Amino acid sequence: MPSRAILPPNQGVAIPLTMTFQQRARRAIRPLARWILQLHVPVGPMKPLFLLLYWLHVSVREGLISLLRFVWFEPLFRSRCESVGARFRMEQLPYVFGRGRIVIGSDVRLSGKSSIGFGNRVHDNPKLSIGDQSFVGHNCGFLVAQSIRIGDHCLLAGGVRLSDFDGHPIAHDARREDQPYSPSNVKPIVIGNDVWIGAGVYVMKGVHIGDRSIIGAGSVVTKNIPADVIAAGNPARVIKSLADM
């Protein structure tokens, strides 16, 4: 079938154009591409062998990761920390930029890869502290211009973001001129003990979250959250008291 038709000048009859070589080639190759994409190595009676190879692959991979963590990732990260408590565990090397203090408590675990950024335009030596027996999930991010303090026995699920400053000035003309953010826009974050923060939560500057509270996944926390509650939403609000459960 013709792909389209054109009208020559001064004529009212449409003249069909024949299919181009490229169009014919695409039409011929498309079924072949589908067939190739559906190909697979048959497992069948070879399933025990492939299962053995699978576990061999996993064991080698995990062994290499453990070796890198022990001889490379952890020593590099410890060199950036002011102090690290006993039985510290980590998986991948966090991305750290800027100048600041990192204080890690005992029995802390960093899962996957996190990022830690320090803003030094207002305070020369901002501080991130993570309390004893706390867990930080994969892809968490901390932006610290003054102080972010996480209590003991806290659980931060994957993708949590905490920032104690705006990052840039509010006024557009100040951003154009690359002016520093105002000191009034830097406010410490304090996370109490036994706090559980769900996946993808954003905690904004100046927020205090009380002990034992839970923040639902995907929430944006812009104001203080009292102790012993469940909060969720954008902006996050208290939806239930733990005392009622």
Side-chain angles (χ1 to χ4, degrees), residues 26-92:
R26 283 197 296 268
R27 178 168 291 187
I29 291 173
R30 195 173 296 139
L32 177 62
R34 290 198 198 100
W35 178 77
I36 293 175
L37 290 174
Q38 293 173 357
L39 287 176
H40 64 275
V41 177
V43 177
M46 302 290 287
K47 184 174 181 179
L49 174 62
F50 283 110
L51 183 60
L52 177 63
L53 293 174
Y54 170 82
W55 288 115
L56 178 63
H57 170 86
V58 171
S59 299
V60 171
R61 178 180 178 274
E62 294 297 324
L64 289 175
I65 291 175
S66 298
L67 181 63
L68 280 174
R69 181 175 66 245
F70 180 73
V71 303
W72 190 246
F73 295 157
E74 188 171 328
L76 290 179
F77 181 66
R78 283 177 177 270
S79 71
R80 290 298 308 263
C81 296
E82 181 177 286
S83 63
V84 178
R87 298 173 297 278
F88 170 67
R89 292 172 294 166
M90 58 176 289
E91 295 178 1
Q92 300 182 37

Side-chain angles (χ1 to χ4, degrees), residues 19-30:
M19 186 179 295
T20 65
F21 173 78
Q22 290 85 354
Q23 291 172 324
R24 292 179 182 273
R26 283 197 296 268
R27 178 168 291 187
I29 291 173
R30 195 173 296 139

Side-chain angles (χ1 to χ4, degrees), residues 207-236:
V207 165
H208 290 211
I209 299 179
D211 295 345
R212 299 170 298 278
S213 285
I214 300 171
I215 309 299
S219 300
V220 178
V221 188
T222 60
K223 297 181 180 180
N224 293 346
I225 302 296
D228 299 299
V229 298
I230 299 176
N234 181 8

Side-chain angles (χ1 to χ4, degrees), residues 167-203:
H168 298 282
I170 301 298
H172 69 279
D173 52 348
R175 293 197 299 272
R176 288 183 182 180
E177 298 173 5
D178 194 28
Q179 295 180 9
Y181 42 83
S182 170
S184 62
N185 288 331
V186 179
K187 299 177 181 179
I189 292 174
V190 178
I191 309 298
N193 299 324
D194 295 285
V195 171
W196 176 12
I197 300 179
V201 169
Y202 280 72
V203 181

Side-chain angles (χ1 to χ4, degrees), residues 98-163:
R99 302 182 311 275
R101 296 178 293 160
I102 303 174
V103 177
I104 306 291
S106 300
D107 295 294
V108 170
R109 180 182 173 189
L110 302 184
S111 177
K113 187 179 183 67
S114 296
S115 62
I116 303 171
F118 294 104
N120 305 110
R121 288 188 165 185
V122 174
H123 298 276
D124 291 333
N125 210 15
K127 180 179 180 181
L128 168 66
S129 61
I130 302 176
D132 297 341
Q133 300 184 23
S134 288
F135 173 90
V136 177
H138 172 62
N139 198 32
C140 287
F142 307 91
L143 291 176
V144 194
Q146 182 177 355
S147 173
I148 294 179
R149 178 163 60 86
I150 300 169
D152 300 336
H153 304 276
C154 289
L155 170 59
L156 277 64
V160 171
R161 295 287 189 272
L162 294 89
S163 177

